[in-house]
Amino acid sequence: MATLRAAGCVFAEDEAVILLEAAAEHDVAGSAPAVGGSEQRLDELVARRVAGEPLEQIVGWVDFAGMRLQVRPGVFVPRQRTRMLAEHTATVTKQVADSRGSGAESGTGTVPRPVVLEAFCGVGPVASAVAVSVPEAAIHVGDADEQAVRCAVANVEAYARAGESSANVTGHVLDCLHGLPDELRHGIDVIAAVPPYVPVTAVDFLPREALDFEPSTALFGGVDGLDLVRRLIAESLDWLAPEGALLIELGQDQVAEATGFATERELEAQSHLSEDEQTVVLELRPGHWN
């Protein structure tokens, strides 16, 4: 713990507990024992953390909204602020499912699954939350990083199984939304995303562990941070269902510009501000609010 504290780890005590657990699990897993056993393994893990590697990539998981999601080296680690997006996505998806259930009860026929896409998915935190909350959802995850897509699919499947959910998941390697199958065109009920929205001018304010161990393509969104936000808004018009919703996490100071871009494309906007007033979920819908 002292080593972590000296290296500048803010939550040294908590991280020490997690690293001790990871070293012990490594021995229990039955891998070939090294001289010194878990003590040597712990030294290796601590050395990686002191070198700046994200704790989540070292131990292979992140605690997100009560879920232990698998994380792989080099893949973007979901931030806790994204819980607001995950919760709101689950709520909107549940509303879609409930409205269709009411239609079926009134005799209008078979109920289609609500279709959800987590774009720029990373390890799939939002999609995993939807799998837990809306068991009937048809979930899609997409990212430019093939390894991230595999990781996201594994996480969603694991939490669907754990909750005895009938939610299913399909992964796609995407360039923003390019690469989605044509059968989803104008058929996605909810698109949720944390596109890279850090301005390149803010590079000096990012922690070293993000810059050194996460792909820059998952962090930076151009001069004002909105290059991929604009692309996502424009491309979503080809994929959203007529009453669908696009939910985007971005910085509070970026909302006005993103909203203006969206309204020019006849999307109506509502913004949901986080408790710390730093992050916003921008909710965009075609046509009029119901």
Side-chain angles (χ1 to χ4, degrees):
M1 183 171 65
T3 303
L4 295 175
R5 190 181 296 114
C9 297
V10 177
F11 302 104
E13 291 82 0
D14 295 336
E15 293 193 11
V17 171
I18 293 171
L19 292 173
L20 281 165
E21 177 186 323
E25 287 178 350
H26 181 268
D27 281 354
V28 172
S31 54
V35 176
S38 60
E39 184 175 344
Q40 178 171 329
R41 175 62 176 165
L42 179 60
D43 288 343
E44 293 170 354
L45 298 180
V46 170
R48 290 170 63 186
R49 184 67 186 113
V50 169
E53 189 171 351
L55 178 69
E56 297 84 359
Q57 292 182 4
I58 294 170
V59 300
W61 58 269
V62 60
D63 185 340
F64 180 88
M67 300 178 291
R68 182 176 284 200
L69 300 178
Q70 174 189 149
V71 175
R72 297 180 184 177
V75 174
F76 181 78
V77 178
R79 293 0 183 202
Q80 294 305 315
R81 59 178 173 265
T82 299
R83 289 186 61 169
M84 182 171 69
L85 175 65
E87 291 166 0
H88 195 64
T89 302
T91 297
V92 173
T93 306
K94 187 71 163 57
Q95 290 170 349
V96 173
D98 289 347
S99 68
R100 291 177 182 172
S102 299
E105 291 167 7
S106 64
T108 58
T110 305
V111 181
R113 290 174 176 261
V115 179
V116 181
L117 167 68
E118 182 178 4
F120 302 95
C121 66
V123 304
V126 175
S128 296
V130 171
V132 171
S133 302
V134 192
E136 62 269 47
I139 298 171
H140 297 261
V141 292
D143 198 283
D145 182 345
E146 186 174 355
Q147 180 176 221
V149 173
R150 290 196 299 267
C151 195
V153 169
N155 282 326
V156 176
E157 288 179 341
Y159 277 92
R161 287 194 302 270
E164 299 182 352
S165 168
S166 63
N168 57 48
V169 59
T170 306
H172 311 274
V173 177
L174 302 179
D175 174 11
C176 196
L177 299 185
H178 289 175
L180 286 170
D182 197 61
E183 59 263 29
L184 291 178
R185 194 173 297 275
H186 299 301
I188 303 177
D189 297 298
V190 186
I191 299 175
V194 185
Y197 62 86
V198 177
V200 293
T201 52
V203 63
D204 292 338
F205 298 99
L206 288 186
R208 182 166 58 91
E209 62 186 58
L211 293 172
D212 291 348
F213 294 95
E214 293 181 314
S216 61
T217 52
L219 298 171
F220 298 107
V223 174
D224 63 357
L226 292 174
D227 285 1
L228 284 160
V229 172
R230 294 186 189 92
R231 274 194 64 188
L232 177 63
I233 292 171
E235 293 177 17
S236 72
L237 299 175
D238 290 330
W239 302 101
L240 278 175
E243 296 183 355
L246 171 61
L247 310 176
I248 308 173
E249 177 187 299
L250 69 169
Q252 191 273 339
D253 59 348
Q254 297 170 312
V255 172
E257 177 66 27
T259 298
F261 184 85
T263 54
E264 289 173 359
R265 284 148 186 81
E266 300 184 350
L267 291 167
E268 297 194 357
Q270 284 189 351
S271 59
H272 307 271
L273 185 63
S274 65
E275 291 183 1
D276 64 7
E277 299 186 352
Q278 298 297 313
T279 306
V280 168
V281 170
L282 183 62
E283 180 171 355
L284 303 171
R285 294 177 182 261
H288 296 287
W289 292 90
N290 293 328

